Amino acid sequence: MVKRLCLCHLKNNADTEDIFQSVFLKYLLCDTEFESAEHEKAWFIRVTVNACKDHLRRLFRHPTTPLELLTEEAAPVQEHREVLEAVLALPEKYRNVIYLHYYEGYTAGEIADILKCRENTVYSQLSRARDLLRSALGGEEID
């Protein structure tokens, strides 16, 4: 039943397997006392549908490109190599927020959820990281 629901919503075998696994992991970690078999079945249906919706919402916010459509080998652009090296040289907490914000396109609120910290902390770390990059790359014109 869970697999069929996933397949109907996602129309993709790989995503179906992922959501199927996460639903049963939630079931194993759940400490809910079910009143009956019907109550348990309803729980499975609700959790499965919500997980599918969350997955589709995540894909809508962060679109992906299928590997089959990529024709060129992924490699950093040489003209931005200096910037990439400066980002990689940052302390980990600054490197993470810079990477998630500029390379993955997450907002400060989403980064705060991912890193389990406050949104204002993310803003502070972004600002400090930009200052460090500006001084490392040598100039005020770099933003």
Side-chain angles (χ1 to χ4, degrees):
M1 172 192 66
V2 171
K3 202 167 192 174
R4 276 195 315 268
L5 276 171
C6 290
L7 202 53
C8 287
H9 277 85
L10 303 174
K11 298 171 182 62
N12 178 330
N13 238 355
D15 291 339
T16 296
E17 293 294 327
D18 289 343
I19 299 301
F20 180 82
Q21 182 177 2
S22 69
V23 167
F24 279 95
L25 181 62
K26 285 179 187 177
Y27 178 69
L28 289 174
L29 298 175
C30 172
D31 58 351
T32 304
E33 295 286 331
F34 297 108
E35 298 167 4
S36 65
E38 288 301 314
H39 182 224
E40 188 174 28
K41 183 178 179 181
W43 183 91
F44 268 109
I45 292 170
R46 182 74 317 198
V47 169
T48 302
V49 169
N50 287 343
C52 290
K53 285 181 181 180
D54 289 345
H55 181 75
L56 291 172
R57 189 177 309 120
R58 208 171 23 254
L59 287 178
F60 180 72
R61 286 188 184 154
H62 302 288
T64 58
T65 303
L67 291 175
E68 295 81 26
L69 296 180
L70 298 176
T71 57
E72 296 179 9
E73 187 174 319
V77 179
Q78 291 302 322
E79 61 193 45
H80 299 294
R81 184 80 180 155
E82 184 180 331
V83 176
L84 179 61
E85 288 174 2
V87 169
L88 294 176
L90 290 172
E92 185 179 353
K93 66 181 180 179
Y94 298 135
R95 185 179 27 194
N96 289 339
V97 294
I98 289 289
Y99 176 78
L100 290 171
H101 184 70
Y102 289 107
Y103 289 91
E104 295 296 327
Y106 287 103
T107 65
E110 292 169 330
I111 295 170
D113 290 340
I114 291 169
L115 298 178
K116 306 268 190 276
C117 63
R118 293 184 179 186
E119 188 172 347
N120 286 338
T121 303
V122 172
Y123 284 124
S124 297
Q125 289 177 347
L126 278 171
S127 177
R128 291 177 187 143
R130 286 186 200 114
D131 291 341
L132 288 172
L133 286 173
R134 191 174 293 117
S135 65
L137 295 172
E140 292 297 318
E141 71 277 356
I142 298 173
D143 198 335

